[in-house]
Structure formats: C-alpha cells, structure tokens
Amino acid sequence: MIPVRGYTGRKVAVLGLGRSGLATARALQAGGALPLVWDDSPESRARAEAEGFAPFDLTRNAAFDDVAALIVSPGIPHLYPAPNAVIARALELGVPVDNDIGLFFRSFATRDWDGFDQMPRVICVTGSNGKSTTTALIRHIVAEAGRPVHMAGNIGRGVLDLPPAEDGTVVVLELSSYQTELARALTPDVAVFTNLSPDHLDRHGGMGGYFAAKRRLFTQGGPDRCVIGVDEVEGRFLANQMSVAPEDDRVIRISAAARLEGPGWSVFARKGFLSEWRKGRQIASIDLREMPGLPGAHNHQNACAAYAATRTLGLSPRLIEGALASFAGLPHRSQLVGEAEGVRFVNDSKATNVDSAAKALQAFPRIRWIAGGMGKEGGIVSLQPHLGAVAKAYLIGHSAREFALQLAGTPHEICETMDQAVARAAEEAEPGDTVLLAPAAASFDQYPDFEKRGEHFTALVAARLAGRH
C-alpha cells in the first residue's frame, strides 16, 4: 500500500467504492487522513462496511463541512455530459476534486529513496487502443531484465494498492482518459501515447476534449522522456509540442504505418520488422513476424511503444527482443486460444469498436470472422475497406441483422449465439484459416462484459478441440 501523504488529521471524501475507491480509502487511512466514503450502490457500501469504513452520505446537506478534498473513481462523470451531483456540489464549494492517480504521484516518492542505488521509475501509458497490451509488454520486458516491476492503474490493481518502492522498482501504469483528465498531479518519468481514435466522446465533450485529456499526461508534469505514436495528426502535434528541436531525443516517435525520418530518436515497424533509429543511424532491427503474442500491425505498434519505453531504462535491444518473443499476449486481445489441423482460433473480444476490430481484421491472411453484439453508432459500415481477408462472417447478438445488411458482398451467416457461430466457423474453416472473434460491438446484450464473452469463446474452442482427440 502507498500511504497518502498531505492529509494527516483532515477529512477526505471518497466517491465510488469499487476497486480503486476502496484502495484509496485504505491508503488515506494509512496516511493519517479521515476518509468519508460513499457510493450510490448499497452493495458497494456493504463491501466498505465489511472493511470497517462507515458510509458517509455525501449527498446530504453540509456533507462537505471541513472536507479537504473529494477523491473520485474514474467511472463517475465529473464534467460532461453533466457532473455527478456530489461532484457538482464540491465544485460549487471550491473543494478540490482529485483521483487516486493524483494521490499516487503526491505520495509515491519518500525519503527512503535517498538510500537507493537506482531510483524507482514510473512509466505511464495512455492512448485509445493498445494501452493494456503495451503496459503488460513493458512489465514483461522489465521483469525479464530482472528488475522489480509492478503494473497497475486501468489494468491489474489500484495504484494505491501497490507496495512501497524498492531500489530500482519500475511501476507501469495504464491510464485512461478519465484518469488523466482529473488527476491533479501527473509526473511520470516516461509517458507513452499509443494512438488516438474516437471514443468516450460524450464524457469529454467531443474529440478535442478527449485529446486534451490524454495530452495532460505530457503537459501537466513534464516527463523526462516521451514515447509518442505519430500515425495520427494528434500524435504528430503532441510530439512537436514536446520537442524543442528536430534532434531532441527526449521525444521518441513511433509508428506502425511509415518509416520515420529526421535526426531524432524513432522506432517504427514496417513489413513486420521493428527498427530503431537515432541521429540518422539505425541502432537495431527486430523481426516481429513470428512472435505469437504480437500478431498484426496494431501489435507491432504496441511492440514499438514498449521497446522505446524500455530503451529509456537502458535495456539492450537484444534483451528486449528476447522478451518480445516470449510475451504470451493478454487475454481477449488477439489471444491465440487454440490451433488444430492448420486452423487457428483467436480471441479478440476486447475489439468492442470498429477501430480495434479493423486492426484485428488486418492481422491475419484468411479469416472466419465472428462479430456482433450490441452495435455502436454507425454499425460496421466503416469496416468495408478492411474485409478483404474475411472468407465469411458469422454474426451474433442484438445487431446481427443490422451488421448483415452492412456487409454488402462479404459472405455471412446469422448465427445469433456464440455456440452456433463457433460451431459453424470451425466446421467450415480450412487449413490456413483463422477463426477470429473480433465483435466490433459491446457485449451487454448477451454477456456482462467483454471478458465473459471472450471466456465463453475460449471455452467453446477448448471443448471443440478436445473432442477431436
């Protein structure tokens, strides 16, 4: 646990008692603060009571008397489309609103660090797609190098649940736009921006607000190194803002779409090869094509980001190459879950929007595509340019018929359920095919979350493959 500093003897309100909220309450208490906890959900309040925290109704009059700050969980709207009523009241009264990420950066460094031989480092990863894989990949590389490393934030555990730093500890945080937008302190040693595509626009008042939330990770605290994906104009703009000269190697530009030029530091992937260039010279090259945990151009972008971030720690290209090769991938993200008779089965249940589905559809040469669920605005019309490798689509869930109308000439079948889709795709698959779950839709029509959807797909594949032996 990271005890929160700066609030000894002060009341601090905590709104939202999920994983991060409860961790925040514990860390505040450990630091000598008096946490006042609240959640609209009776079940969440009961969990807090079981840990010894008496719920304090933050909606009542005078709830903020003598309160030093309000700490908010990331799922609670604080600005758009409208602030939560408790947050709105705090804003009216001038009570500072923060989150656990801000508290972490205020509290992580301690005087104990004066005795360390190697200073702890914090690497933060944000962006629209690939954050989780990039974060996990950085953690894997650092672990392979033998350094103490922890992963937290939007993946794994709450940041304040982390243990205090040891000599040489590396902390890798995945941060969503909700987290970067609200944190009052953001001071990573290395900040990573993977890419940007439309998402959460209602929470940020449009694309400009969404980008501004991500950008705060770089402009708020001034990281020592920036790793920035420049395949979109926003990334190119951000890299330009963070550089003071073309040769400024505090900024590492990364790309999975183009060969990067210029005298600065860059890492890019083309035709399956990762290249590192610095001061106009190539430093290293890595063949990514046969690395099973990193299929497709989108994962090659993740590899570039992780490679660049870990190079800033002084790790060698050869060590990083070995770690990339041994990375098994994350569940539900281009995860190979089975293979038989030349047919691969890949679980990309996390592909809940068309942008992430497009990346998955470009990763394999011939695809039996399982798609559908609770479709988002616009459906899958924008995927038309990316359907060239699809031999046939097997459509499930609420939007199956809508998706069928948008597939034009692509062969397809309405299967309704995952069971039927897996059975039909497996029956028709030929050697060299990939049966790919990349739904391009939310899961809530049939599953509580994308994880449960991916687990069902994986279980069906396992049962089917077991029946062949």
Side-chain angles (χ1 to χ4, degrees), residues 36-90:
L36 308 177
V37 304
W38 182 251
D39 194 298
D40 290 337
S41 163
E43 293 82 5
S44 296
R45 296 199 297 268
R47 284 195 297 271
E49 284 189 279
E51 291 203 26
F53 296 106
F56 182 87
D57 188 354
L58 295 174
T59 67
R60 66 178 180 79
N61 291 333
F64 284 100
D65 288 356
D66 299 321
V67 168
L70 171 65
I71 312 303
V72 178
S73 293
I76 302 173
H78 51 265
L79 185 57
Y80 301 116
N84 174 278
V86 171
I87 299 175
R89 183 59 176 156

Side-chain angles (χ1 to χ4, degrees), residues 68-417:
L70 171 65
I71 312 303
V72 178
S73 293
I76 302 173
H78 51 265
L79 185 57
Y80 301 116
N84 174 278
V86 171
I87 299 175
R89 183 59 176 156
L91 297 176
E92 289 171 2
L93 296 173
V95 175
V97 179
D98 203 349
N99 62 15
D100 61 333
I101 305 301
L103 297 182
F104 169 83
F105 279 111
R106 289 180 53 170
S107 307
F108 185 51
T110 67
R111 291 184 177 177
D112 293 341
W113 292 21
D114 293 341
F116 290 167
D117 293 326
Q118 193 171 21
M119 283 295 103
R121 305 289 294 279
V122 179
I123 301 175
C124 291
V125 181
T126 195
S128 296
N129 297 303
K131 296 188 299 295
S132 295
T133 297
T134 299
T135 301
L137 190 51
I138 293 170
R139 189 213 67 81
H140 176 73
I141 295 168
V142 175
E144 290 293 293
R147 290 184 63 173
V149 59
H150 302 289
M151 180 172 70
N154 206 42
I155 186 174
R157 62 211 298 192
V159 292
L160 295 172
D161 255 346
L162 291 171
E166 307 170 47
D167 197 329
T169 289
V170 177
V171 172
V172 192
L173 303 181
E174 177 192 339
L175 299 183
S176 71
S177 56
Y178 300 167
Q179 293 167 311
T180 56
E181 183 175 48
L182 197 58
R184 297 173 72 90
L186 283 169
T187 53
D189 298 289
V190 183
V192 179
F193 176 87
T194 58
N195 50 59
L196 197 76
S197 62
D199 207 358
H200 310 304
L201 301 189
D202 59 330
R203 278 287 298 269
H204 298 293
M207 196 68 177
Y210 179 47
F211 176 51
K214 301 286 190 186
R215 182 173 170 270
R216 286 189 79 246
L217 178 63
F218 297 80
T219 59
Q220 184 79 359
D224 295 335
R225 298 279 189 185
C226 302
V227 176
I228 301 176
V230 294
D231 288 338
E232 295 88 27
V233 66
E234 292 89 353
R236 293 190 288 275
F237 177 79
L238 179 59
N240 186 276
Q241 284 207 311
M242 300 306 294
S243 302
V244 298
E247 64 275 11
D248 185 355
D249 66 1
R250 293 174 304 170
V251 176
I252 307 176
R253 293 168 171 83
I254 64 167
S255 173
R259 182 185 187 277
L260 299 180
E261 300 177 327
W265 195 351
S266 63
V267 179
F268 56 88
R270 295 183 72 224
K271 298 180 179 179
F273 285 85
L274 180 153
S275 296
E276 177 188 3
W277 284 71
R278 197 170 184 180
K279 297 179 180 177
R281 297 178 55 196
Q282 186 170 9
I283 304 298
S285 177
I286 296 175
D287 186 352
L288 301 173
R289 293 172 299 175
E290 299 303 320
M291 295 188 177
L294 297 167
H298 61 303
N299 275 310
H300 294 174
Q301 183 184 57
N302 299 335
C304 289
Y307 176 95
T310 50
R311 285 287 282 144
T312 70
L313 301 179
L315 303 187
S316 73
R318 295 286 75 84
L319 185 150
I320 298 171
E321 180 177 12
L324 293 175
S326 64
F327 181 65
L330 280 179
H332 318 300
R333 297 163 176 87
S334 294
Q335 177 193 17
L336 179 64
V337 296
E339 187 168 1
E341 299 175 4
V343 177
R344 291 182 293 180
F345 295 82
V346 173
N347 167 23
D348 203 341
S349 184
K350 184 63 169 64
T352 58
N353 58 44
V354 292
D355 187 69
S356 51
K359 290 177 169 60
L361 290 170
Q362 296 172 73
F364 308 99
R366 183 175 163 87
I367 296 169
R368 303 279 171 177
W369 178 33
I370 299 176
M374 187 67 71
K376 299 185 177 180
E377 184 176 353
I380 56 171
V381 172
S382 62
L383 287 177
Q384 279 295 333
H386 309 294
L387 301 180
V390 176
K392 185 175 178 179
Y394 305 83
L395 304 174
I396 64 173
H398 175 82
S399 298
R401 285 169 176 76
E402 176 193 348
F403 282 14
L405 293 173
Q406 297 172 344
L407 281 173
T410 301
H412 59 272
E413 178 178 336
I414 295 177
C415 295
E416 303 286 359
T417 67

